[in-house]
């Protein structure tokens, strides 16, 4: 070793250590980022043949919801992957308060939220505009917003909504669904209705770039999104009505997310191929008895029909893609009574003997025969096919004729029918589930509960008072008491047999990292947020 | 020439009658478009608003006049579901259907004529028998079932061919790949018909000693007279082609559903279930015009090939 | 004057002779014989379906989407129903709808065609124009339109198919009647002053029966195929009716894990159509051979 001073050697050493540090830092960063796929393009294939209008007041079905959720923001949102009303989060509104027992709601908006394509900042004017449209005559979601009496915008970041009647659950209306999605007033007026419905302008994490009607919707990320720039750069939202083709495309890697089927065999096929499953906020399936028609004016006949079928056979058919529904409020909704909380007779487990006995009591010792209308839609038709065989065991012959789904809906609204199977999705609180179907003013009340004498005691039976009571108070215990009373009464009077809740399954490729846990969702699709990303294969 | 001009003009009343009949009958069907579009959320208010927006609450004759006036301007209306222009949807869909139809016709002609001529030349041998069995089987198999079987074999089992879609116009290789199975499924049954006619007319035209010699020696010696015979033998085939193409266009609907191809079939079936009036009516018009044009072209071709009928 | 006198003496025995010759020719044709046998088997199975099948077609069992096994030779569908039983019962739908529609279309269409040929003039022109108009459109499309307007279901399918095949019979009967009307024995009958009705029904009709019957067989095969197509599109038979086309449609969704649900019903359609085509071909060949 050459004799030398320490200084140059220390300098070299320092440089070496510095270089090593930088190198290892770069290496670790590179390794950490190697998780992400190079191309952040998500392909999402869903069932359907056409895109509905994407304007939230004009389009509201399971094809539009996932896209609308990507394109628009709302005042509040359900936590991604678990739509519990009691866990609702701030979104466009940083904070809010309710006063007068839920008659007046005041929201304070976040500042600096930008609309797509340079349409400026989102202000209270846009919120007021959107809610007014949702309420309007031409709106397909007007029913949920009728209670709004007035909307005030004292300043650009404050919205005050005055309701005609107190509604403790008003927040569900301004969450991420239906009229809660806020549109850009400037863009709508600028583009016109039709153009806006094809390429809407919102403030959400993604914006619509292009659409090929009937085939695919192209979305790109909104760089100025207020929660942060989304990791996914492009989304292709494809329509593929053939389930097999969709499934194959997923397994082959041509698409990353698909809407699946309610079938345990399908779930098995998909999970065996290494895909992940997710489930959506399910819809209920109920069987309404028209109490204005004989023999369903007799509570014993209705109970007999219920005891004859139970729920086990339908559960066996659906496997793990369905949950039995024991009360008229689905089990995943807050306030729903569980099977254990119900007295045994009200659980309506299958009991053919009891069914026959009830029929005999009601004057049908040899069983009975009725005609009914059915829909061809498999979700409506499959349970009916199962029930028909079960009813036969109890001496009940049901002759049903099937018509296509739109005709079915038209006819049940214009003609009286004996049995009305019905499915539907509502907001996650009991008032929404009890309202349309079981209150005397309800628009889907085909059983006419609340309008007739249901239990044969000479007086009209109704749950209207319970529903009103729950809405008029902000006290959770009082609400629960009302809901419990309503559910028990409905089970005793049996105007409708609550059968099951069908989950909708989605399948995702293992590389899809949603950024949250998909246990359920209100959006009837897979929610893609700014945290979603694609890992490398 | 006037013969064909007359025939061409003759298409118009037929199409008009069809459109009118369908127009009025559609509006008599229960469960109108409002319910189909609004679905479970349909309430009397939203239904009324929907009908007002689309002018469905006006008197039927007014709606009819409006639609016909639009047709004259080539304005086919808009879809109730997504508001898209029907003309644009048709402009996108028709080429795909025509492509499939032409491909299937090509399959049926190539396959049918080849097998038919071969069967005629090898008359009485097992080739002939096998060809006739092929024709019988091909004619009996439902085309959509054949499509499903092909999918099962080549897409699901072997993974060789894509099972759905038509591909992009700018990617010819992909386009061709996705055309193979549907064209086969659609073309095979009609290939059977072509095969029989080709065989029968070939047998009629060729002198029988030629056949015997050909069987014994192969084709080469009498190529010239063979070509002449072939040309004459194909005259009946031409008349069948027109019939074939009509048949093929008819069954295109089903096969487009089986293979999820973006053609007229998908528009038609989708609009039926959705009660999407403008799409349904306009697709029918275009469809009817296509069929009429095919018939016309066939007559034209037949007239060219066989001058005798031109002066009827 | 009795009827027997106005008929040419050779006629009756010619007809009987022709039938005997037809049967003999058919028996010598292996394809036709096979077709007849196959068809008879299908019809027998169809008629005796409840006795022949191991399970009722709508009986649901807990074993769903099972593959072929000893208990279920062709497996079960997504409701646990036995596929074999459903296919056998499905033959009833196919056979009844096609035979009924061909019978209706054949009866009415032939009558109209015969009378169009006889009456000529404006009636003939109108009928021909209408028939050509309808015939210009593919049967599947006509069926689709009818079912959209009238609604789905096997009954309406019969109506749809009858409408689709009616013009074919009209054209066929008209064409054959026109060919026959100049025959000497017809002229003779006219000269004798026989009424038109009698001429058409007693003289012309019997002579056009054989070509009509031949085509009817082939068209019945087509009708079965079209019924399956319409049910496949969801416009025809409705669940839980075990129509083959409907079974194929349902089978498509499960094709990844239970391909038999699609394969077997389609095979059934194929075999039935095949048998009818074999018979039709045989009859046509037999009749075409010149005396």
């Amino acid at each position: 070793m050459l004799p030398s001073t320490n200084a140059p050697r220390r300098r070299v050493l320092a440089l070496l250590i510095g270089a090593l540090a930088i190198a290892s830092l770069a290496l670790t960063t590179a390794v950490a980022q190697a998780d992400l796929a190079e191309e952040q393009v998500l392909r999402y294939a869903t069932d359907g043949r056409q895109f509905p209008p994407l304007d939230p007041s004009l389009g509201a079905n399971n094809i539009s919801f996932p896209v609308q959720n990507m394109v628009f923001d709302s005042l509040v949102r359900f936590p991604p992957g678990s739509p519990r009303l009691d866990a609702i989060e701030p979104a466009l509104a940083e904070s809010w308060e309710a006063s007068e027992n839920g008659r007046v709601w005041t929201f304070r908006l976040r500042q600096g939220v930008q609309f797509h394509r340079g349409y400026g900042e989102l202000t209270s004017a846009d919120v007021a505009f959107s809610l007014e449209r949702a309420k309007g005559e031409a709106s397909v979601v007007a029913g949920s917003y009728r209670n709004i009496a007035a909307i005030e915008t004292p300043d650009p970041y404050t919205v005050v909504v005055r309701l005609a009647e107190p509604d403790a659950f008003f927040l569900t209306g301004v969450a991420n669904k239906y009229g809660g999605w806020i549109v850009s007033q400037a863009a709508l007026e600028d583009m016109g209705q039709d153009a806006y419905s094809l390429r809407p302008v919102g403030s959400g994490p993604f914006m619509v770039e292009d659409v090929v009607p009937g085939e695919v919707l192209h979305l790109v990320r909104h760089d100025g999104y207020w929660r942060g720039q989304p990791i996914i750069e492009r989304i292709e939202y494809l329509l593929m009505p053939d389930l097999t083709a969709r499934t194959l495309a997923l397994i082959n890697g041509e698409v990353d997310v698909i809407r699946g089927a309610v079938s345990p065999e399908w779930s098995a096929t998909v999970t065996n191929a290494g895909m992940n499953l997710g489930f959506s906020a399910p819809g209920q399936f109920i069987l309404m008895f028209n109490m204005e028609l004989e023999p369903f004016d007799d509570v014993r006949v209705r109970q007999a029909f219920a005891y004859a079928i139970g729920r086990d056979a339908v559960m066996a058919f659906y496997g793990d893609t369905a949950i039995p529904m024991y009360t008229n409020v689905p089990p995943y909704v807050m306030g729903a009574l569980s099977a254990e909380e119900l007295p045994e007779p009200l659980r309506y487990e299958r009991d053919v003997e009891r069914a026959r006995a009830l029929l005999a009591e009601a004057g049908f010792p040899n069983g009975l025969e009725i005609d009914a209308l059915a829909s061809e839609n498999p979700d409506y038709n499959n349970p009916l096919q199962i029930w028909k065989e079960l009813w036969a065991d109890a001496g009940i012959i049901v002759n049903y004729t099937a018509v296509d789904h739109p005709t079915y809906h038209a006819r049940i609204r214009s003609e009286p029918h004996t049995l009305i199977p019905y499915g539907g999705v509502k907001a996650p609180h009991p008032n929404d589930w009890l309202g349309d179907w079981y209150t005397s003013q309800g628009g889907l009340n085909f059983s006419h509960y609340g309008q007739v004498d249901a239990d044969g005691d000479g007086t009209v039976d109704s749950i209207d008072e319970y529903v009103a009571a729950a809405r008029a108070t902000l006290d959770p215990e009082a609400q629960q008491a009302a809901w419990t009373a309503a559910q028990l009464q409905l089970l005793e009077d049996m105007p409708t047999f609550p059968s099951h809740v069908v989950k909708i399954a989605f399948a995702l490729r293992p590389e899809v990292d949603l950024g949250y846990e998909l246990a359920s969702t209100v959006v009837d699709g897979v929610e893609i947020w700014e945290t979603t990303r694609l890992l490398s294969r | 020439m006037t013969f064909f001009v007359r025939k061409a003009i003759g298409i118009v009343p037929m199409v008009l009658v069809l459109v009118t009949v369908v127009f009025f009958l559609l509006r008599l069907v229960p469960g109108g478009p409002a319910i189909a579009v609004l679905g479970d959320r349909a309430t009397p208010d939203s239904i009324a608003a929907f009908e007002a927006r689309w002018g469905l609450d006006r008197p039927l004759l007014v709606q009819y006049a409006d639609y016909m006036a639009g047709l004259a301007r080539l304005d086919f209306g808009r879809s109730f579901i997504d508001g898209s222009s029907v003309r644009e949807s048709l402009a996108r869909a028709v080429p795909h259907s025509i492509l499939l139809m032409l491909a299937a016709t090509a399959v049926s002609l190539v396959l049918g004529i080849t097998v038919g001529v071969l069967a005629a030349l090898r008359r009485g041998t097992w080739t002939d028998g096998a060809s006739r069995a092929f024709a019988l089987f091909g004619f009996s198999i439902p085309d959509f079932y054949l499509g499903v079987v092909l999918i099962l074999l080549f897409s699901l089992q072997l993974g060789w061919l894509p099972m759905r879609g038509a591909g992009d116009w700018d990617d010819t290789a992909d386009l061709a790949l996705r055309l193979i199975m549907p064209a086969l499924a659609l073309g095979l049954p009609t290939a059977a018909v072509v095969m029989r006619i080709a065989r029968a007319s070939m047998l009629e035209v060729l002198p029988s000693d030629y056949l015997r010699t050909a069987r014994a020696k192969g084709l080469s010696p009498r190529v010239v007279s063979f070509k002449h015979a072939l040309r004459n033998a194909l005259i009946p085939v031409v008349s069948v082609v027109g019939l074939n193409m009509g048949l093929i266009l008819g069954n295109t609907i089903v096969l487009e559903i089986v293979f999820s191809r973006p053609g007229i079939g998908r528009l038609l079936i989708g609009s039926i279930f959705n009660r999407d009036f403008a799409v349904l009516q306009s697709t029918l018009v275009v469809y009817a015009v296509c069929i009429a044009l095919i018939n016309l072209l066939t007559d034209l071709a037949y007239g060219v090939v066989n001058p005798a009928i031109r002066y009827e | 004057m009795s009827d027997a006198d106005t008929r040419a003496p050779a006629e009756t025995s010619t007809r009987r002779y022709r039938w005997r010759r037809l049967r003999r020719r058919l028996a010598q044709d292996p394809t036709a014989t096979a077709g007849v046998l196959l068809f008879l088997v299908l019809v027998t199975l169809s008629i005796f379906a409840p006795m022949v099948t191991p399970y009722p077609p709508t009986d649901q069992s807990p074993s769903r989407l099972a593959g072929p096994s000893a208990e279920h030779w062709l497996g079960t569908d997504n409701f646990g129903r036995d596929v074999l039983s459903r296919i056998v019962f499905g033959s009833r739908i196919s056979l009844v709808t096609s035979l009924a529609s061909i019978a209706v279309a054949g009866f009415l269409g032939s009558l109209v065609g015969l009378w169009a040929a006889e009456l000529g003039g404006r009636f003939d022109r109108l009928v021909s124009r209408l028939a050509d108009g309808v015939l210009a459109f593919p049967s599947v499309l006509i069926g689709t339109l009818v079912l959209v307007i009238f609604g789905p279901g096997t009954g309406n399918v019969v109506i749809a198919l009858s409408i689709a095949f009616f013009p074919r019979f009209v054209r066929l009967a008209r064409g054959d009647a026109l060919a026959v009307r100049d025959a000497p024995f017809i002229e003779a009958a006219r000269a004798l002053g026989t009424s038109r009705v009698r001429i058409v029904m007693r003289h012309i009709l019997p002579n056009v029966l054989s070509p009509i019957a031949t085509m009817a067989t082939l068209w019945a095969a087509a009708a079965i195929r079209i019924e399956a197509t319409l049910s496949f599109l969801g416009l025809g038979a409705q669940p839980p009716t075990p129509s083959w086309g409907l079974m194929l449609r349902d089978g498509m969704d499960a094709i990844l894990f239970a391909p038999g649900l699609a394969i077997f019903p389609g095979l059934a359609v194929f075999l039935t159509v095949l048998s009818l085509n074999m018979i039709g071909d045989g009859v046509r060949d037999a009749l075409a051979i010149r005396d």
Side-chain angles (χ1 to χ4, degrees):
Chain A
M1 285 299 259
L2 284 167
S4 54
T5 58
N6 279 336
R9 202 184 290 179
R10 252 183 273 138
R11 233 181 293 141
V12 170
L13 205 62
L15 271 168
L16 265 171
I17 294 175
L20 261 170
I22 294 173
S24 53
L25 193 68
L27 203 64
T28 25
T29 329
V31 166
Q33 295 242 319
D35 275 333
L36 282 184
E38 259 193 49
E39 202 195 38
Q40 289 291 319
V41 176
L42 184 85
R43 293 179 180 86
Y44 183 153
T46 191
D47 186 6
R49 293 179 201 268
Q50 271 172 292
F51 297 112
L54 292 176
D55 179 335
S57 304
L58 297 177
N61 66 20
N62 58 46
I63 303 174
S64 71
F65 293 145
V67 183
Q68 286 161 330
N69 195 55
M70 294 179 219
V71 170
F72 297 107
D73 269 320
S74 47
L75 288 175
V76 298
R77 78 165 184 186
F78 290 104
S82 65
R84 302 268 318 176
L85 180 55
D86 37 12
I88 211 157
E89 295 179 353
L92 288 175
E94 281 181 330
S95 63
W96 59 89
E97 61 217 16
S99 49
E100 291 181 41
N101 257 346
R103 187 194 285 276
V104 179
W105 292 79
T106 309
F107 299 91
R108 255 161 271 289
L109 299 181
R110 202 171 294 274
Q111 300 190 17
V113 174
Q114 295 293 322
F115 276 117
H116 305 149
R117 305 209 278 270
Y119 275 99
E121 193 187 7
L122 191 152
T123 63
S124 56
D126 296 296
V127 176
F129 177 72
S130 303
L131 289 176
E132 289 285 356
R133 289 189 88 241
K135 203 182 122 169
E137 260 185 15
S139 161
V140 301
V141 298
S144 310
Y145 299 92
R146 231 175 269 138
N147 196 20
I148 297 181
I151 307 171
E152 293 156 22
T153 54
D155 65 68
Y157 303 108
T158 309
V159 181
V160 180
V161 182
R162 293 185 191 282
L163 304 174
E165 290 185 14
D167 182 0
F169 313 108
F170 175 66
L171 282 181
T172 54
V174 292
N176 48 333
K177 205 173 185 185
Y178 301 132
W181 280 314
I182 305 300
V183 304
S184 159
Q185 179 174 13
L188 220 161
E189 287 165 356
D190 191 28
M191 295 167 72
Q193 176 66 71
D194 288 333
Y196 187 80
S197 283
L198 279 176
R199 290 184 65 205
V201 168
S203 55
F206 298 94
M207 48 193 191
V208 178
E209 181 188 61
D210 190 21
V211 58
V212 179
E215 283 179 48
V216 63
L217 204 66
H218 295 292
L219 298 121
V220 291
R221 73 175 166 203
H222 174 43
D223 290 319
Y225 183 54
W226 62 269
R227 280 202 180 93
Q229 188 195 50
I231 303 176
I232 302 275
E233 290 159 9
R234 298 181 57 86
I235 300 178
E236 281 174 24
Y237 189 63
L238 306 139
L239 290 178
M240 286 178 135
D242 185 337
L243 173 69
T244 307
R246 237 168 28 239
T247 312
L248 213 61
L250 182 78
I251 298 178
N252 288 341
E254 287 165 32
V255 299
D256 306 294
V257 178
I258 62 169
R259 183 187 179 88
V262 283
S263 141
E265 292 77 21
W266 178 84
S267 308
T269 307
V270 157
T271 41
N272 285 342
M275 307 293 129
N276 296 326
L277 282 180
F279 294 96
S280 155
Q284 70 166 7
F285 195 73
I286 57 176
L287 177 66
M288 290 186 266
F289 304 108
N290 188 343
M291 300 192 291
E292 282 182 354
L293 289 181
E294 290 183 11
F296 294 112
D297 52 345
D298 187 333
V299 60
R300 290 167 299 195
V301 172
R302 301 195 298 269
Q303 288 172 338
F305 269 68
Y307 281 118
I309 53 179
R311 296 170 185 91
D312 290 342
V314 170
M315 287 303 108
F317 177 79
Y318 282 111
D320 58 3
T321 57
I323 324 173
M325 201 166 126
Y326 284 94
T327 86
N328 301 75
V329 177
Y332 59 91
V333 174
M334 69 190 224
L337 296 174
S338 67
E340 292 72 40
E341 289 169 298
L342 295 172
E344 191 275 329
L346 292 187
R347 271 182 233 151
Y348 290 95
E349 310 276 15
R350 186 173 198 224
D351 189 344
V352 179
E353 296 308 311
R354 198 185 288 194
R356 282 190 185 272
L358 282 165
L359 283 177
E361 247 185 72
F364 300 100
N366 299 317
L368 54 80
E369 186 168 340
I370 59 162
D371 294 328
L373 188 68
S375 161
E376 290 170 10
N377 180 323
D379 288 335
Y380 279 58
N381 202 304
N382 290 343
L384 207 50
Q385 289 189 60
I386 297 173
W387 289 336
K388 187 179 152 93
E389 303 301 308
L390 296 172
W391 278 321
D393 290 341
I396 298 172
I397 315 289
V398 173
N399 306 313
Y400 65 84
T401 29
V403 295
D404 60 85
H405 204 56
T407 306
Y408 175 75
H409 275 293
R411 287 180 63 180
I412 59 176
R413 283 165 174 77
S414 58
E415 311 161 352
H417 285 282
T418 51
L419 291 175
I420 300 110
Y422 211 92
V425 181
K426 292 285 183 187
H429 63 85
N431 265 29
D432 225 27
W433 293 90
L434 296 171
D436 273 344
W437 280 297
Y438 310 111
T439 56
S440 54
Q441 297 304 307
L444 300 174
N445 189 353
F446 296 103
S447 65
H448 300 284
Y449 195 76
Q451 299 165 6
V452 300
D453 172 19
D455 55 9
D457 66 355
T459 56
V460 172
D461 304 281
S462 159
I463 54 160
D464 289 7
E465 46 170 307
Y466 298 124
V467 172
R471 190 189 300 125
T473 172
L474 292 170
D475 170 17
E477 276 183 27
Q479 290 171 349
Q480 183 64 63
W483 290 331
T484 302
Q487 289 173 71
L488 289 173
Q489 184 175 317
L490 283 174
L491 285 171
E492 279 162 12
D493 294 343
M494 192 36 62
T496 300
F497 177 69
S499 176
H500 58 277
V501 154
V502 176
K503 299 193 237 177
I504 297 171
F506 298 93
L508 305 98
R509 287 200 58 86
E511 306 87 55
V512 177
D513 177 14
L514 289 174
Y516 62 89
E517 183 84 33
L518 178 57
S520 181
T521 168
V522 277
V523 165
D524 218 350
V526 176
E527 298 172 58
I528 312 292
W529 292 100
E530 79 285 357
T531 50
T532 308
R533 58 198 193 142
L534 282 171
L535 305 172
S536 52
R537 295 197 184 167
Chain B
M1 212 58 224
T2 46
F3 173 62
F4 297 103
V5 171
R6 251 190 300 124
K7 267 221 155 180
I9 298 181
I11 295 175
V12 177
M14 191 178 71
V15 174
L16 283 178
V17 167
L18 177 74
V19 174
T20 311
V21 166
V22 170
F23 184 95
F24 285 103
L25 283 178
L26 267 185
R27 278 152 181 76
L28 295 174
V29 178
I35 301 266
V37 173
L38 299 170
D40 297 336
R41 303 193 58 81
T43 59
D45 280 343
S46 55
I47 293 177
F50 179 89
E51 295 192 341
R53 174 157 180 253
W54 290 103
L56 293 170
D57 47 357
R58 298 174 299 165
L60 276 186
L61 283 175
V62 173
Q63 294 185 46
Y64 178 67
D66 205 27
Y67 179 69
M68 294 311 264
L71 268 191
R73 302 193 295 271
L74 286 184
D75 173 9
F76 292 116
R78 296 185 159 272
S79 157
F80 290 149
I81 310 285
D82 60 6
S84 59
S85 153
V86 177
R87 186 174 62 207
E88 281 171 27
S89 303
L90 280 171
R92 262 193 314 269
V94 169
H96 282 295
S97 294
I98 293 187
L99 177 67
L100 178 57
M101 196 189 71
L102 288 175
T105 308
V107 164
S108 76
L109 282 178
V110 168
L111 209 57
I113 292 177
T114 316
V115 177
V117 168
L118 222 88
L121 291 177
R122 304 262 189 279
R123 181 189 189 175
T125 64
W126 75 267
T127 320
D128 185 20
S131 311
R132 294 169 66 201
F134 160 80
L136 186 61
F137 278 43
F139 188 60
S140 304
I141 196 165
D143 42 23
F144 62 94
Y145 178 56
L146 183 57
V148 172
V149 170
L150 288 173
I151 289 178
L152 255 174
L153 189 56
F154 292 107
S155 289
L156 297 180
Q157 281 289 84
L158 296 170
W160 290 351
L161 294 171
M163 74 179 270
R164 65 168 301 278
D168 277 318
W169 287 105
D170 43 2
D171 187 349
T172 323
D174 189 41
L175 208 68
L177 212 61
R178 291 179 196 270
L179 203 53
I180 296 177
M181 287 195 294
L184 265 177
L186 202 46
L188 202 71
T190 36
V193 176
V194 170
M195 183 243 140
R196 284 184 181 182
I197 296 188
R199 177 182 176 276
S201 73
M202 196 68 182
L203 284 176
E204 263 183 40
V205 168
L206 282 180
S208 45
D209 63 340
Y210 177 89
L211 285 176
R212 261 183 265 119
T213 324
R215 228 172 40 225
K217 288 186 174 178
L219 285 181
S220 22
R222 317 261 181 105
V223 173
V224 172
S225 56
F226 171 75
K227 277 201 194 137
H228 169 80
L230 188 65
R231 239 204 313 274
N232 280 303
L234 289 186
I235 292 174
V237 175
V238 171
S239 66
V240 169
V241 166
L243 181 66
N244 265 359
M245 286 176 89
L247 253 174
I248 287 179
L249 190 62
N251 290 328
T252 302
I253 302 177
V254 188
L255 268 121
E256 282 176 347
I257 302 288
V258 171
F259 288 95
S260 297
R261 293 178 68 89
I264 295 182
R266 196 163 76 175
L267 276 181
L268 198 64
I269 299 296
S271 64
I272 285 175
F273 286 114
N274 289 327
R275 307 276 193 273
D276 206 347
F277 288 163
V279 178
L280 183 55
Q281 285 153 203
S282 308
T283 309
L284 280 172
V285 169
V286 170
Y287 202 67
V289 170
C290 282
I291 292 174
L293 278 176
I294 288 172
N295 287 336
L296 190 66
L297 283 172
T298 317
D299 288 341
L300 197 85
Y302 195 59
V304 163
V305 169
N306 186 353
I309 67 129
R310 243 190 262 162
Y311 301 103
E312 262 173 36
Chain C
M1 288 254 211
S2 74
D3 280 342
D5 294 339
T6 60
R7 265 181 299 181
E11 240 182 87
T12 22
S13 51
T14 309
R15 258 206 304 284
R16 255 185 273 133
Y17 174 61
R18 268 201 234 139
W19 278 114
R20 254 186 282 137
R21 192 184 55 199
L22 176 69
R23 274 207 305 276
R24 198 173 50 227
R25 287 229 179 95
L26 278 179
Q28 290 167 347
D29 180 351
T31 325
T33 322
V36 170
L37 282 173
L38 182 57
F39 189 67
L40 282 177
V41 167
L42 288 166
V43 170
T44 315
L45 283 176
S46 180
I47 296 176
F48 294 105
M51 285 160 247
V52 169
T53 52
Y55 306 88
T58 49
D59 238 27
Q60 298 170 10
S61 78
S63 119
R64 300 170 31 242
L65 289 174
S69 66
E71 292 91 30
H72 298 279
W73 290 3
L74 296 180
T76 58
D77 69 3
N78 56 339
F79 282 100
R81 300 181 292 213
D82 181 43
V83 174
L84 177 63
S85 308
R86 284 177 69 77
I87 287 185
V88 174
F89 273 90
S91 66
R92 291 185 162 187
I93 312 278
S94 296
L95 288 173
V96 167
T97 45
S98 71
L99 292 176
S101 47
I102 295 294
V104 168
F107 179 69
L108 292 175
S110 304
L111 276 179
V112 170
L114 284 178
W115 279 104
E118 177 61 28
L119 294 174
R122 241 184 294 165
F123 179 66
D124 183 20
R125 271 203 301 278
L126 177 68
V127 165
S128 299
R129 188 109 21 109
L130 270 176
D132 286 344
V134 176
L135 271 178
F137 296 100
S139 312
V140 172
L141 185 66
I142 296 175
T144 305
L145 281 175
V146 172
L147 290 170
V148 169
I149 290 166
F150 288 100
T154 19
N156 289 342
V157 171
V158 173
I159 296 178
L161 289 175
S162 305
I163 294 178
F165 283 99
F166 175 79
R168 290 186 211 206
F169 282 102
V170 167
R171 265 244 285 254
L172 181 65
R174 178 181 173 277
D176 284 344
L178 283 177
V180 166
R181 71 197 311 256
D182 296 327
F185 67 94
I186 304 282
E187 299 271 352
R190 268 190 235 283
L192 285 168
T194 326
S195 74
R196 282 185 117 163
V197 178
R198 197 156 263 170
I199 290 182
V200 171
M201 303 309 288
R202 288 277 190 166
H203 300 302
I204 300 185
L205 177 59
N207 283 293
V208 302
L209 265 183
S210 15
I212 290 181
T214 316
M215 292 315 290
T217 319
L218 294 169
W219 286 336
I224 292 181
R225 217 175 39 228
I226 298 173
E227 186 275 325
T229 308
L230 293 170
S231 295
F232 177 75
L233 290 174
L235 299 165
Q238 294 307 304
T241 319
S243 149
W244 291 336
L246 193 59
M247 290 170 74
L248 223 147
R249 174 192 175 86
D250 290 337
M252 290 280 290
D253 274 346
I255 212 168
L256 272 178
F257 31 86
L261 292 186
I263 295 180
F264 297 125
L267 210 57
V269 178
F270 171 55
L271 287 173
T272 315
V273 171
L274 185 67
S275 67
L276 281 170
N277 278 334
M278 282 182 184
I279 299 175
D281 273 356
V283 171
R284 189 168 55 183
D285 287 343
L287 288 179
I289 300 172
R290 304 268 169 270
D291 294 301

